[in-house]
Amino acid sequence: ILNVEQSPQSLHVQEGDSTNFTCSFPSSNFYALHWYRWETAKSPEALFVMTLNGDEKKKGRISATLNTKEGYSYLYIKGSQPEDSATYLCASTNTGGFKTIFGAGTRLFVKA
Amino acid sequence: DAMVIQNPRYQVTQFGKPVTLSCSQTLNHNVMYWYQQKSSQAPKLLFHYYDKDFNNEADTPDNFQSRRPNTSFCFLDIRSPGLGDAAMYLCATSRGGAGGGYNEQFFGPGTRLTVL
């Protein structure tokens, strides 16, 4: 994998549903994996930064895991709320530099 | 609150007419980035500054230039905008130093550029 790929491209869920997205990234020269949330008309906001294989991070109802050996990360949202509606961007930074490659994002729509 | 500010939020220019987008930050971060995002695509890094050191991405067209007169401000100049340059332009900052690539980036709200 040369690029950062996210799936699904978009997701529609009902309020209260739990959901998860996938981010695949190049495992060679890996340094850090970032998740951002981008609400419409606002600035992308950092959720998590992970560096170590097996890392798990949690913030409220949102959590993320990291597998650097196989090059993927999952983002989980438990009990989705309408305010969770946003685009979730994943980004990978390689070793030794500031080059960060973003995925195209997963667009989440949560219906009340 | 410390933040990253981009002006204007929406910019309309004519084909071939130079345009400048601006970004300012109150975070005192060493690193400032410019990204281009076209509809439904991933944000693409154009270049970044580490302090005064300019780092251009290999595939960034010469049509795109940048200036960073001081820590707080960074400008994106598009010398001759084409229709294909219509996009959202995001500015971001991060702390430098050891493990700089680890540090989260703080984004502005973006400037949406339309080229007529």
Side-chain angles (χ1 to χ4, degrees):
Chain A
I1 298 175
L2 298 179
N3 296 316
V4 174
E5 297 172 1
Q6 293 187 245
S7 63
Q9 188 174 24
S10 66
L11 190 58
H12 293 252
V13 301
Q14 290 290 128
E15 182 176 359
D17 288 350
S18 293
T19 187
N20 65 86
F21 326 132
T22 303
C23 172
S24 300
F25 56 88
S27 54
S28 61
N29 300 318
F30 170 82
Y31 189 59
L33 191 285
H34 307 253
W35 281 100
Y36 292 86
R37 175 170 59 199
W38 192 2
E39 297 181 63
T40 302
K42 295 186 178 179
S43 305
E45 174 192 1
L47 289 174
F48 305 114
V49 178
M50 296 178 286
T51 58
L52 299 176
N53 186 47
D55 262 355
E56 293 187 24
K57 294 282 181 81
K58 186 175 181 181
K59 184 183 290 187
R61 294 179 291 98
I62 305 177
S63 60
T65 60
L66 179 66
N67 182 320
T68 60
K69 293 182 179 179
E70 296 181 41
Y72 65 84
S73 174
Y74 293 134
L75 186 79
Y76 301 90
I77 303 178
K78 184 177 178 181
S80 302
Q81 300 297 309
E83 57 266 30
D84 296 329
S85 297
T87 297
Y88 291 83
L89 292 170
C90 163
S92 174
T93 303
N94 61 1
T95 54
F98 294 87
K99 172 100 180 186
T100 299
I101 301 174
F102 278 82
T106 292
R107 185 85 166 90
L108 176 67
F109 300 88
V110 183
K111 187 176 180 182
Chain B
D1 287 341
M3 58 193 337
V4 181
I5 301 164
Q6 289 188 246
N7 284 308
R9 294 290 302 272
Y10 299 91
Q11 176 74 56
V12 180
T13 191
Q14 291 180 332
F15 182 94
K17 185 175 181 181
V19 65
T20 295
L21 309 183
S22 70
C23 177
S24 63
Q25 54 132 339
T26 61
L27 298 159
N28 204 33
H29 283 168
N30 300 86
V31 192
M32 294 188 78
Y33 310 78
W34 279 105
Y35 291 89
Q36 178 194 62
Q37 189 202 26
K38 296 186 178 180
S39 180
S40 301
Q41 297 182 22
K44 179 180 176 298
L45 181 64
L46 294 173
F47 24 60
H48 76 271
Y49 272 96
Y50 190 124
D51 293 327
K52 293 183 179 180
D53 293 333
F54 177 69
N55 297 271
N56 198 29
E57 293 299 308
D59 55 355
T60 297
D62 292 340
N63 197 27
F64 291 86
Q65 303 286 319
S66 187
R67 295 170 283 137
R68 189 180 185 186
N70 53 53
T71 299
S72 301
F73 285 87
C74 195
F75 300 98
L76 171 62
D77 299 310
I78 308 177
R79 294 192 296 189
S80 182
L83 297 179
D85 296 328
M88 172 73 82
Y89 290 88
L90 291 165
C91 173
T93 74
S94 71
R95 285 184 289 116
Y102 166 88
N103 295 322
E104 67 182 283
Q105 294 183 26
F106 292 78
F107 284 85
T111 295
R112 184 165 295 282
L113 178 69
T114 300
V115 182
L116 300 178

PDB file of all heavy atoms in Angstrom, chain B residues 71-96:
ATOM      1  N   THR B  71       6.974  34.057  12.266  1.00  0.00           N
ATOM      2  CA  THR B  71       6.440  32.817  12.839  1.00  0.00           C
ATOM      3  C   THR B  71       4.942  32.721  12.678  1.00  0.00           C
ATOM      4  O   THR B  71       4.385  31.637  12.481  1.00  0.00           O
ATOM      5  CB  THR B  71       6.799  32.743  14.335  1.00  0.00           C
ATOM      6  OG1 THR B  71       8.215  32.744  14.473  1.00  0.00           O
ATOM      7  CG2 THR B  71       6.242  31.475  14.977  1.00  0.00           C
ATOM      8  N   SER B  72       4.250  33.833  12.793  1.00  0.00           N
ATOM      9  CA  SER B  72       2.798  33.814  12.867  1.00  0.00           C
ATOM     10  C   SER B  72       2.086  33.703  11.532  1.00  0.00           C
ATOM     11  O   SER B  72       0.947  33.249  11.478  1.00  0.00           O
ATOM     12  CB  SER B  72       2.301  35.083  13.573  1.00  0.00           C
ATOM     13  OG  SER B  72       2.843  35.181  14.866  1.00  0.00           O
ATOM     14  N   PHE B  73       2.714  34.160  10.466  1.00  0.00           N
ATOM     15  CA  PHE B  73       2.007  34.266   9.190  1.00  0.00           C
ATOM     16  C   PHE B  73       2.630  33.384   8.116  1.00  0.00           C
ATOM     17  O   PHE B  73       3.850  33.240   8.035  1.00  0.00           O
ATOM     18  CB  PHE B  73       2.012  35.714   8.687  1.00  0.00           C
ATOM     19  CG  PHE B  73       1.070  36.608   9.427  1.00  0.00           C
ATOM     20  CD1 PHE B  73       1.485  37.245  10.588  1.00  0.00           C
ATOM     21  CD2 PHE B  73      -0.230  36.795   8.984  1.00  0.00           C
ATOM     22  CE1 PHE B  73       0.626  38.072  11.295  1.00  0.00           C
ATOM     23  CE2 PHE B  73      -1.098  37.618   9.685  1.00  0.00           C
ATOM     24  CZ  PHE B  73      -0.669  38.256  10.833  1.00  0.00           C
ATOM     25  N   CYS B  74       1.757  32.858   7.257  1.00  0.00           N
ATOM     26  CA  CYS B  74       2.218  32.104   6.095  1.00  0.00           C
ATOM     27  C   CYS B  74       1.231  32.355   4.961  1.00  0.00           C
ATOM     28  O   CYS B  74       0.008  32.387   5.193  1.00  0.00           O
ATOM     29  CB  CYS B  74       2.287  30.613   6.421  1.00  0.00           C
ATOM     30  SG  CYS B  74       3.220  29.648   5.223  1.00  0.00           S
ATOM     31  N   PHE B  75       1.753  32.562   3.754  1.00  0.00           N
ATOM     32  CA  PHE B  75       0.919  32.878   2.611  1.00  0.00           C
ATOM     33  C   PHE B  75       1.083  31.828   1.525  1.00  0.00           C
ATOM     34  O   PHE B  75       2.171  31.268   1.339  1.00  0.00           O
ATOM     35  CB  PHE B  75       1.288  34.251   2.037  1.00  0.00           C
ATOM     36  CG  PHE B  75       1.119  35.380   3.015  1.00  0.00           C
ATOM     37  CD1 PHE B  75       2.218  35.875   3.715  1.00  0.00           C
ATOM     38  CD2 PHE B  75      -0.126  35.928   3.247  1.00  0.00           C
ATOM     39  CE1 PHE B  75       2.062  36.911   4.628  1.00  0.00           C
ATOM     40  CE2 PHE B  75      -0.284  36.960   4.168  1.00  0.00           C
ATOM     41  CZ  PHE B  75       0.819  37.451   4.851  1.00  0.00           C
ATOM     42  N   LEU B  76      -0.008  31.579   0.827  1.00  0.00           N
ATOM     43  CA  LEU B  76       0.018  30.717  -0.356  1.00  0.00           C
ATOM     44  C   LEU B  76      -0.286  31.599  -1.561  1.00  0.00           C
ATOM     45  O   LEU B  76      -1.345  32.221  -1.616  1.00  0.00           O
ATOM     46  CB  LEU B  76      -1.029  29.605  -0.222  1.00  0.00           C
ATOM     47  CG  LEU B  76      -1.288  28.750  -1.462  1.00  0.00           C
ATOM     48  CD1 LEU B  76      -0.032  27.999  -1.867  1.00  0.00           C
ATOM     49  CD2 LEU B  76      -2.422  27.763  -1.194  1.00  0.00           C
ATOM     50  N   ASP B  77       0.658  31.659  -2.499  1.00  0.00           N
ATOM     51  CA  ASP B  77       0.484  32.442  -3.717  1.00  0.00           C
ATOM     52  C   ASP B  77       0.269  31.488  -4.888  1.00  0.00           C
ATOM     53  O   ASP B  77       1.083  30.600  -5.117  1.00  0.00           O
ATOM     54  CB  ASP B  77       1.732  33.290  -3.997  1.00  0.00           C
ATOM     55  CG  ASP B  77       2.035  34.271  -2.889  1.00  0.00           C
ATOM     56  OD1 ASP B  77       1.116  34.998  -2.486  1.00  0.00           O
ATOM     57  OD2 ASP B  77       3.189  34.299  -2.411  1.00  0.00           O
ATOM     58  N   ILE B  78      -0.808  31.717  -5.619  1.00  0.00           N
ATOM     59  CA  ILE B  78      -1.038  30.962  -6.852  1.00  0.00           C
ATOM     60  C   ILE B  78      -0.847  31.949  -7.990  1.00  0.00           C
ATOM     61  O   ILE B  78      -1.633  32.893  -8.140  1.00  0.00           O
ATOM     62  CB  ILE B  78      -2.434  30.319  -6.884  1.00  0.00           C
ATOM     63  CG1 ILE B  78      -2.667  29.514  -5.603  1.00  0.00           C
ATOM     64  CG2 ILE B  78      -2.559  29.415  -8.105  1.00  0.00           C
ATOM     65  CD1 ILE B  78      -4.062  28.899  -5.499  1.00  0.00           C
ATOM     66  N   ARG B  79       0.205  31.751  -8.759  1.00  0.00           N
ATOM     67  CA  ARG B  79       0.636  32.791  -9.701  1.00  0.00           C
ATOM     68  C   ARG B  79      -0.313  32.925 -10.885  1.00  0.00           C
ATOM     69  O   ARG B  79      -0.576  34.039 -11.345  1.00  0.00           O
ATOM     70  CB  ARG B  79       2.043  32.493 -10.197  1.00  0.00           C
ATOM     71  CG  ARG B  79       3.082  32.588  -9.086  1.00  0.00           C
ATOM     72  CD  ARG B  79       4.488  32.588  -9.606  1.00  0.00           C
ATOM     73  NE  ARG B  79       4.821  31.347 -10.271  1.00  0.00           N
ATOM     74  CZ  ARG B  79       6.046  31.038 -10.659  1.00  0.00           C
ATOM     75  NH1 ARG B  79       7.045  31.867 -10.458  1.00  0.00           N
ATOM     76  NH2 ARG B  79       6.286  29.897 -11.273  1.00  0.00           N
ATOM     77  N   SER B  80      -0.801  31.834 -11.397  1.00  0.00           N
ATOM     78  CA  SER B  80      -1.695  31.863 -12.553  1.00  0.00           C
ATOM     79  C   SER B  80      -2.720  30.747 -12.391  1.00  0.00           C
ATOM     80  O   SER B  80      -2.540  29.645 -12.919  1.00  0.00           O
ATOM     81  CB  SER B  80      -0.901  31.683 -13.853  1.00  0.00           C
ATOM     82  OG  SER B  80      -1.755  31.747 -14.971  1.00  0.00           O
ATOM     83  N   PRO B  81      -3.768  31.024 -11.605  1.00  0.00           N
ATOM     84  CA  PRO B  81      -4.724  29.957 -11.292  1.00  0.00           C
ATOM     85  C   PRO B  81      -5.397  29.403 -12.535  1.00  0.00           C
ATOM     86  O   PRO B  81      -5.825  30.156 -13.429  1.00  0.00           O
ATOM     87  CB  PRO B  81      -5.744  30.654 -10.387  1.00  0.00           C
ATOM     88  CG  PRO B  81      -5.069  31.869  -9.886  1.00  0.00           C
ATOM     89  CD  PRO B  81      -4.112  32.290 -10.948  1.00  0.00           C
ATOM     90  N   GLY B  82      -5.455  28.089 -12.577  1.00  0.00           N
ATOM     91  CA  GLY B  82      -6.213  27.418 -13.622  1.00  0.00           C
ATOM     92  C   GLY B  82      -7.478  26.836 -13.036  1.00  0.00           C
ATOM     93  O   GLY B  82      -7.666  26.805 -11.810  1.00  0.00           O
ATOM     94  N   LEU B  83      -8.363  26.359 -13.907  1.00  0.00           N
ATOM     95  CA  LEU B  83      -9.630  25.805 -13.432  1.00  0.00           C
ATOM     96  C   LEU B  83      -9.379  24.617 -12.509  1.00  0.00           C
ATOM     97  O   LEU B  83     -10.146  24.370 -11.570  1.00  0.00           O
ATOM     98  CB  LEU B  83     -10.490  25.381 -14.623  1.00  0.00           C
ATOM     99  CG  LEU B  83     -10.911  26.511 -15.580  1.00  0.00           C
ATOM    100  CD1 LEU B  83     -11.729  25.951 -16.732  1.00  0.00           C
ATOM    101  CD2 LEU B  83     -11.688  27.591 -14.847  1.00  0.00           C
ATOM    102  N   GLY B  84      -8.301  23.897 -12.750  1.00  0.00           N
ATOM    103  CA  GLY B  84      -7.977  22.734 -11.929  1.00  0.00           C
ATOM    104  C   GLY B  84      -7.466  23.069 -10.548  1.00  0.00           C
ATOM    105  O   GLY B  84      -7.273  22.168  -9.725  1.00  0.00           O
ATOM    106  N   ASP B  85      -7.241  24.343 -10.280  1.00  0.00           N
ATOM    107  CA  ASP B  85      -6.754  24.751  -8.952  1.00  0.00           C
ATOM    108  C   ASP B  85      -7.894  25.078  -7.999  1.00  0.00           C
ATOM    109  O   ASP B  85      -7.645  25.397  -6.826  1.00  0.00           O
ATOM    110  CB  ASP B  85      -5.827  25.965  -9.085  1.00  0.00           C
ATOM    111  CG  ASP B  85      -4.570  25.652  -9.877  1.00  0.00           C
ATOM    112  OD1 ASP B  85      -4.102  24.491  -9.807  1.00  0.00           O
ATOM    113  OD2 ASP B  85      -4.071  26.546 -10.585  1.00  0.00           O
ATOM    114  N   ALA B  86      -9.105  25.016  -8.486  1.00  0.00           N
ATOM    115  CA  ALA B  86     -10.253  25.229  -7.607  1.00  0.00           C
ATOM    116  C   ALA B  86     -10.291  24.102  -6.579  1.00  0.00           C
ATOM    117  O   ALA B  86     -10.277  22.918  -6.930  1.00  0.00           O
ATOM    118  CB  ALA B  86     -11.545  25.239  -8.408  1.00  0.00           C
ATOM    119  N   ALA B  87     -10.291  24.478  -5.318  1.00  0.00           N
ATOM    120  CA  ALA B  87     -10.176  23.481  -4.249  1.00  0.00           C
ATOM    121  C   ALA B  87     -10.345  24.172  -2.904  1.00  0.00           C
ATOM    122  O   ALA B  87     -10.441  25.391  -2.815  1.00  0.00           O
ATOM    123  CB  ALA B  87      -8.799  22.791  -4.295  1.00  0.00           C
ATOM    124  N   MET B  88     -10.340  23.361  -1.847  1.00  0.00           N
ATOM    125  CA  MET B  88     -10.231  23.865  -0.477  1.00  0.00           C
ATOM    126  C   MET B  88      -8.748  23.876  -0.127  1.00  0.00           C
ATOM    127  O   MET B  88      -8.053  22.878  -0.366  1.00  0.00           O
ATOM    128  CB  MET B  88     -10.988  22.958   0.481  1.00  0.00           C
ATOM    129  CG  MET B  88     -10.780  23.285   1.947  1.00  0.00           C
ATOM    130  SD  MET B  88     -11.609  24.780   2.468  1.00  0.00           S
ATOM    131  CE  MET B  88     -13.274  24.133   2.742  1.00  0.00           C
ATOM    132  N   TYR B  89      -8.264  24.989   0.397  1.00  0.00           N
ATOM    133  CA  TYR B  89      -6.866  25.082   0.813  1.00  0.00           C
ATOM    134  C   TYR B  89      -6.823  25.182   2.335  1.00  0.00           C
ATOM    135  O   TYR B  89      -7.380  26.108   2.935  1.00  0.00           O
ATOM    136  CB  TYR B  89      -6.174  26.266   0.144  1.00  0.00           C
ATOM    137  CG  TYR B  89      -5.980  26.003  -1.328  1.00  0.00           C
ATOM    138  CD1 TYR B  89      -6.981  26.337  -2.250  1.00  0.00           C
ATOM    139  CD2 TYR B  89      -4.838  25.357  -1.798  1.00  0.00           C
ATOM    140  CE1 TYR B  89      -6.829  26.054  -3.602  1.00  0.00           C
ATOM    141  CE2 TYR B  89      -4.692  25.074  -3.149  1.00  0.00           C
ATOM    142  CZ  TYR B  89      -5.687  25.418  -4.043  1.00  0.00           C
ATOM    143  OH  TYR B  89      -5.532  25.128  -5.381  1.00  0.00           O
ATOM    144  N   LEU B  90      -6.159  24.206   2.940  1.00  0.00           N
ATOM    145  CA  LEU B  90      -6.070  24.126   4.392  1.00  0.00           C
ATOM    146  C   LEU B  90      -4.678  24.501   4.854  1.00  0.00           C
ATOM    147  O   LEU B  90      -3.680  24.038   4.305  1.00  0.00           O
ATOM    148  CB  LEU B  90      -6.365  22.701   4.868  1.00  0.00           C
ATOM    149  CG  LEU B  90      -7.785  22.195   4.711  1.00  0.00           C
ATOM    150  CD1 LEU B  90      -7.834  20.689   4.877  1.00  0.00           C
ATOM    151  CD2 LEU B  90      -8.701  22.859   5.728  1.00  0.00           C
ATOM    152  N   CYS B  91      -4.628  25.319   5.887  1.00  0.00           N
ATOM    153  CA  CYS B  91      -3.378  25.646   6.554  1.00  0.00           C
ATOM    154  C   CYS B  91      -3.357  24.905   7.887  1.00  0.00           C
ATOM    155  O   CYS B  91      -4.395  24.766   8.549  1.00  0.00           O
ATOM    156  CB  CYS B  91      -3.307  27.151   6.775  1.00  0.00           C
ATOM    157  SG  CYS B  91      -1.920  27.716   7.775  1.00  0.00           S
ATOM    158  N   ALA B  92      -2.195  24.423   8.268  1.00  0.00           N
ATOM    159  CA  ALA B  92      -2.076  23.731   9.550  1.00  0.00           C
ATOM    160  C   ALA B  92      -0.743  24.085  10.194  1.00  0.00           C
ATOM    161  O   ALA B  92       0.197  24.524   9.522  1.00  0.00           O
ATOM    162  CB  ALA B  92      -2.179  22.213   9.360  1.00  0.00           C
ATOM    163  N   THR B  93      -0.666  23.900  11.498  1.00  0.00           N
ATOM    164  CA  THR B  93       0.580  24.132  12.227  1.00  0.00           C
ATOM    165  C   THR B  93       0.856  22.956  13.134  1.00  0.00           C
ATOM    166  O   THR B  93      -0.057  22.193  13.495  1.00  0.00           O
ATOM    167  CB  THR B  93       0.502  25.408  13.092  1.00  0.00           C
ATOM    168  OG1 THR B  93      -0.338  25.155  14.238  1.00  0.00           O
ATOM    169  CG2 THR B  93      -0.052  26.589  12.325  1.00  0.00           C
ATOM    170  N   SER B  94       2.109  22.795  13.511  1.00  0.00           N
ATOM    171  CA  SER B  94       2.461  21.815  14.535  1.00  0.00           C
ATOM    172  C   SER B  94       3.747  22.250  15.217  1.00  0.00           C
ATOM    173  O   SER B  94       4.496  23.072  14.679  1.00  0.00           O
ATOM    174  CB  SER B  94       2.617  20.405  13.953  1.00  0.00           C
ATOM    175  OG  SER B  94       3.791  20.307  13.154  1.00  0.00           O
ATOM    176  N   ARG B  95       3.978  21.702  16.394  1.00  0.00           N
ATOM    177  CA  ARG B  95       5.242  21.944  17.070  1.00  0.00           C
ATOM    178  C   ARG B  95       6.347  21.202  16.335  1.00  0.00           C
ATOM    179  O   ARG B  95       6.130  20.130  15.763  1.00  0.00           O
ATOM    180  CB  ARG B  95       5.176  21.441  18.517  1.00  0.00           C
ATOM    181  CG  ARG B  95       4.363  22.329  19.431  1.00  0.00           C
ATOM    182  CD  ARG B  95       4.412  21.825  20.861  1.00  0.00           C
ATOM    183  NE  ARG B  95       3.654  20.600  21.033  1.00  0.00           N
ATOM    184  CZ  ARG B  95       4.179  19.439  21.374  1.00  0.00           C
ATOM    185  NH1 ARG B  95       5.481  19.326  21.548  1.00  0.00           N
ATOM    186  NH2 ARG B  95       3.424  18.376  21.542  1.00  0.00           N
ATOM    187  N   GLY B  96       7.517  21.750  16.332  1.00  0.00           N
ATOM    188  CA  GLY B  96       8.652  21.070  15.736  1.00  0.00           C
ATOM    189  C   GLY B  96       9.422  20.345  16.803  1.00  0.00           C
ATOM    190  O   GLY B  96       8.880  19.897  17.797  1.00  0.00           O
TER     191      GLY B  96
END
